[in-house]
Amino acid sequence: MENKTSKYFKYAIGEIVLVVIGILIALQINTWNKQNEEHELELKILQEIRVNLNLDLNEIQEDIEIMADINAACDDVNTYLRTQESPSEKFFNNAAILRVTPHFDPNTSGYGLLVSKGIGIISSDSLRNDISLHYERLYSYYKRYEEERLRFHALHSEPKLIQHFTPLYDETQKYYLKHKISQEGFNILKKDSAFTKVISAIAYENSSVKNRAERVEKSILSLIKSLDNEIKSLQ
């Protein structure tokens, strides 16, 4: 009886050990599966953010080029008013450019997915912080600059331009609105010192936004580089 009891006890312990091992293996497999799922999700999110940033980069660089055109147009218009006695096609085109206010609309689907899944899914602390700062602070701050320029445009530059110029639709023009002014209107415009001040203010407001846009461009380029490195390490 003692021998049978000992064998039964050993058998029971062996069964318990096997059950425990089975549970531990199942838990480990479940952990691996979960880690693999999180790994794939992290990779997917980073790749989508990478695509979004590439689109953002193209848009912000296009806006920077347009703002450079606006600054050049401001200089040309002021110089023309000081040195010329009659309007020209180039003057009309430059006046039209003064009404342009580029608007940056970032693509945020990847970042939105990241927020919904939890930003902690990104394993790299530095990359996680860089992404958060870029979307939550840099883009928001840039939007404030654009909004300030739009308010200035609505309150000051737009009324002054409409006062002196007649906007006409023209398919051939880059900015789609050609601004005409008669000789008599041009003579009046040359004497309007307030108009010259508005043009200088347009250049100032535009330069402020352009400077901020160049910071956004720099941040996008840096973040794309970091994302490329992280995506490569995860693949």
Side-chain angles (χ1 to χ4, degrees):
M1 289 297 294
E2 289 179 358
N3 188 38
K4 289 182 179 180
T5 302
S6 176
K7 288 182 178 179
Y8 178 78
F9 183 71
K10 291 178 180 178
Y11 177 79
I13 291 176
E15 287 290 315
I16 293 172
V17 170
L18 288 175
V19 170
V20 171
I21 291 174
I23 292 173
L24 291 175
I25 291 174
L27 289 173
Q28 186 61 49
I29 292 173
N30 183 62
T31 299
W32 286 339
N33 289 336
K34 185 177 181 181
Q35 288 175 343
N36 286 335
E37 289 175 1
E38 290 179 350
H39 177 88
E40 292 299 322
L41 181 59
E42 179 184 6
L43 182 60
K44 176 185 176 182
I45 290 173
L46 293 181
Q47 288 173 332
E48 186 166 348
I49 292 175
R50 173 64 174 80
V51 171
N52 288 167
L53 287 173
N54 193 58
L55 295 172
D56 290 350
L57 180 62
N58 292 334
E59 183 176 349
I60 200 71
Q61 288 177 337
E62 182 179 337
D63 286 354
I64 290 171
E65 290 180 4
I66 293 174
M67 286 185 276
D69 290 343
I70 295 171
N71 282 347
C74 288
D75 292 338
D76 289 346
V77 166
N78 274 337
T79 299
Y80 197 94
L81 288 172
R82 291 196 308 269
T83 60
Q84 304 299 319
E85 298 300 326
S86 60
S88 66
E89 285 297 315
K90 182 180 180 181
F91 180 73
F92 296 150
N93 292 336
N94 282 328
I97 294 174
L98 299 182
R99 293 190 66 191
V100 178
T101 52
H103 175 67
F104 177 60
D105 187 18
N107 298 271
T108 59
S109 61
Y111 183 66
L113 179 60
L114 174 61
V115 172
S116 68
K117 298 300 181 181
I119 196 167
I121 199 170
I122 296 180
S123 52
S124 170
D125 292 341
S126 60
L127 181 59
R128 182 170 62 248
N129 291 334
D130 288 345
I131 290 174
S132 180
L133 287 173
H134 183 84
Y135 282 93
E136 295 295 338
R137 298 188 62 181
L138 190 67
Y139 276 174
S140 298
Y141 198 42
Y142 182 68
K143 184 178 180 181
R144 286 173 54 190
Y145 271 74
E146 284 194 332
E147 290 173 347
E148 289 174 4
R149 179 177 59 186
L150 285 173
R151 283 194 293 270
F152 170 83
H153 181 75
L155 293 173
H156 303 288
S157 55
E158 181 74 359
K160 207 61 178 170
L161 289 165
I162 294 299
Q163 175 187 342
H164 290 286
F165 293 90
T166 301
L168 301 172
Y169 179 76
D170 186 344
E171 290 182 335
T172 65
Q173 295 305 305
K174 182 178 180 182
Y175 298 103
Y176 298 101
L177 281 176
K178 179 180 288 187
H179 280 46
K180 290 287 188 179
I181 190 172
S182 65
Q183 181 63 55
E184 180 182 0
F186 185 76
N187 294 336
I188 295 172
L189 180 60
K190 284 174 65 68
K191 298 176 182 178
D192 187 352
S193 59
F195 181 81
T196 303
K197 291 180 181 179
V198 166
I199 299 303
S200 297
I202 291 174
Y204 174 79
E205 292 288 332
N206 185 69
S207 294
S208 297
V209 180
K210 182 174 177 289
N211 179 268
R212 180 57 56 175
E214 289 168 347
R215 296 187 187 184
V216 171
E217 178 191 24
K218 183 178 180 181
S219 177
I220 292 174
L221 288 169
S222 176
L223 194 51
I224 284 176
K225 184 177 180 180
S226 298
L227 282 167
D228 286 343
N229 291 334
E230 187 68 13
I231 289 171
K232 184 178 179 180
S233 70
L234 292 172
Q235 288 176 329

